[in-house]
Amino acid sequence: LTVALGQIGNFLAYTAVPTVLVTPLGALGVPFGSILASYLLKEKLNILGKLGCLLSCAGSVVLIIHSPKSESVTTQAELEEKLTNPVFVGYLCIVLLMLLLLIFWIAPAHGPTNIMVYISICSLLGSFTVPSTKGIGLAAQDIFHNNPSSQRALYLCLVLLAVLGCSIIIQFRYINKALECFDSSVFGAIYYVVFTTLVLLASAILFREWSNVGVVDFLGMACGFTTVS
């Protein structure tokens, strides 16, 4: 139930503001998760862990201040053009090949002993989940309009929903596997950094939100993300 509510909150956030802002703010889940784990799971949170939680919050504030204030893709037509961009298609093909390699060859042998295997699988899937979530919000705006593009919007929305559903199911499976083998606070922190980095890369290729960011804001966001990481 809590995971479902979290995904709904993420969906609403991605449809309202630029991806480059929403994804890094997932860092706020790290201190909350670490504090809850220390009380509920009796995992030890030492002084460095508490300092890390504080830095996560401080970096998030800097990200909010310097994030883009407007969307770079606002219509279904723009979304379709971006999704068929050869650079983005090539990036997704590389991600898919890496996922197949990790899931079928590396994870069975090294997953329980190397935390980066499960984290890499879940993070690479973010290259599908976040753009799909953003795309569903854009396509849904045209589904109920009585115009020729509404049918195309419906098909696009269904395809993105299927991709999103499959990605989330696989993510949940490997997140649970990771939490069975590794400390939840350690997993949450490393997962955040890798996931956010890959999602920002995918979003930069697809939505090109960085093109609306000035030099000062770009440096501010880089500093904020570095502080969080």
Side-chain angles (χ1 to χ4, degrees), residues 12-164:
L12 294 174
Y14 282 121
T15 57
V17 295
T19 307
V20 72
L21 171 61
V22 178
T23 305
L25 286 182
L28 295 177
V30 175
F32 286 122
S34 299
I35 292 171
L36 286 174
S38 67
Y39 286 103
L40 300 180
L41 305 179
K42 307 303 179 183
E43 295 180 357
K44 185 178 180 180
L45 186 63
N46 57 24
I47 185 65
L48 291 179
K50 295 175 182 177
L51 179 61
C53 292
L54 180 62
L55 288 173
S56 298
C57 297
S60 298
V61 172
V62 176
L63 284 169
I64 292 172
I65 294 172
H66 294 283
S67 66
K69 303 302 186 290
S70 60
E71 296 280 9
S72 59
V73 179
T74 57
T75 65
Q76 176 199 335
E78 291 177 342
L79 175 63
E80 292 179 358
E81 181 183 352
K82 299 289 186 183
L83 288 173
T84 55
N85 186 297
V87 177
F88 181 69
V89 173
Y91 171 76
L92 288 185
C93 290
I94 293 173
V95 169
L96 188 58
L97 289 174
M98 293 177 66
L99 281 170
L100 293 174
L101 179 64
L102 285 166
I103 291 173
F104 293 105
W105 280 280
I106 299 178
H110 304 287
T113 57
N114 191 327
I115 192 172
M116 290 305 299
V117 175
Y118 292 147
I119 285 178
S120 298
I121 293 173
C122 297
S123 300
L124 286 169
L125 285 167
S127 298
F128 295 95
T129 56
V130 173
S132 295
T133 303
K134 187 81 169 179
I136 290 169
L138 290 172
Q141 298 174 8
D142 294 333
I143 290 178
F144 303 104
H145 293 171
N146 188 18
N147 55 48
S149 65
S150 60
Q151 194 72 18
R152 289 171 58 88
L154 177 61
Y155 292 145
L156 178 61
C157 191
L158 291 175
V159 170
L160 293 177
L161 276 173
V163 172
L164 179 63

